[in-house]
Amino acid sequence: LREIEAMCTSMDLSQEVIDTTKQLYKRTVEEKVMRGKNKIAFYAACIYIACRINKVARSFKEISASTQVSKKHLARAVKNLVATFELNMGLMKSEDLMTRFCNRLGLSHEIERTCSKISQRIEELGFLTGRTQNTIAAATIHFVASIRNISVSIENIACVSGMAVPSIKS
């Protein structure tokens, strides 16, 4: 549990998310889901699921990078836990990530709201189908910043979102 708390703290997660993660982990141990499997992958999976339950937007890629667990092992552990506990997690949307990205870039709430509305419309129309939520959020911020003549470099957006510059540009 200390290791889980340390991982969550390093990702700046709230106490509520930490507590949910611990509860998920305890349940995982009690139901013997982890037998013979990668424990750290299950720690990461519990963190990911707790974030989704508490509506804290953290992408798969962020959890994977923060916990040093490959996306493949993380995906397998998440799938295992979701099936075992019959969890119903909604899909993460790009608007969920928008607040954090805009705050890190120092953008106003007005810009954030504009970005959220545009990304919501993009998803409704299916323009960027097949792209990750991080990419959609980053591209939307870049689009709005360029239209509004806000000086935010695409490199800064890429750094904050964890996406590559060419992905954002395309």
Side-chain angles (χ1 to χ4, degrees):
L1 294 177
R2 281 189 216 121
E3 207 169 325
I4 288 174
E5 186 152 359
M7 288 176 165
C8 290
T9 304
S10 73
M11 288 185 266
D12 294 326
L13 297 173
S14 68
Q15 190 60 45
E16 186 178 10
V17 174
I18 294 171
D19 292 341
T20 305
T21 303
K22 288 179 179 179
Q23 289 172 351
L24 275 168
Y25 179 71
K26 284 179 185 175
R27 191 170 166 202
T28 302
V29 171
E30 287 169 1
E31 296 194 23
K32 300 175 183 172
V33 177
M34 291 189 328
R35 277 198 178 159
K37 295 179 181 137
N38 183 348
K39 285 185 181 180
I40 298 183
F42 276 90
Y43 297 164
C46 288
I47 292 169
Y48 178 76
I49 292 169
C51 286
R52 295 288 297 278
I53 288 170
N54 290 296
K55 307 236 185 297
V56 175
R58 291 292 188 276
S59 70
F60 220 67
K61 187 175 183 178
E62 289 174 286
I63 300 291
S64 176
S66 296
T67 59
Q68 306 297 309
V69 173
S70 73
K71 286 192 241 178
K72 178 182 174 182
H73 288 112
L74 177 57
R76 199 176 288 153
V78 168
K79 188 176 181 180
N80 195 327
L81 291 178
V82 168
T84 302
F85 300 144
E86 298 176 1
L87 299 171
N88 185 15
M89 301 182 306
L91 296 173
M92 184 170 57
K93 296 183 179 181
S94 57
E95 306 114 65
D96 300 336
L97 300 166
M98 204 65 71
T99 302
R100 191 162 40 99
F101 291 173
C102 287
N103 284 341
R104 286 185 179 171
L105 291 166
L107 299 173
S108 69
H109 290 292
E110 178 189 347
I111 299 298
E112 177 196 325
R113 272 185 263 122
T114 304
C115 290
S116 291
K117 287 179 185 176
I118 290 173
S119 71
Q120 185 178 31
R121 190 73 176 133
I122 286 169
E123 288 183 24
E124 285 172 8
L125 297 172
F127 285 150
L128 296 176
T129 304
R131 300 287 184 162
T132 66
Q133 301 309 317
N134 285 33
T135 304
I136 295 171
T140 304
I141 292 169
H142 177 61
F143 175 73
V144 171
S146 63
I147 287 176
R148 295 260 182 114
N149 292 325
I150 299 169
S151 62
V152 177
S153 73
I154 195 163
E155 288 79 15
N156 285 348
I157 296 171
C159 182
V160 165
S161 66
M163 302 312 301
V165 172
S167 295
I168 297 170
K169 284 182 178 179
S170 68

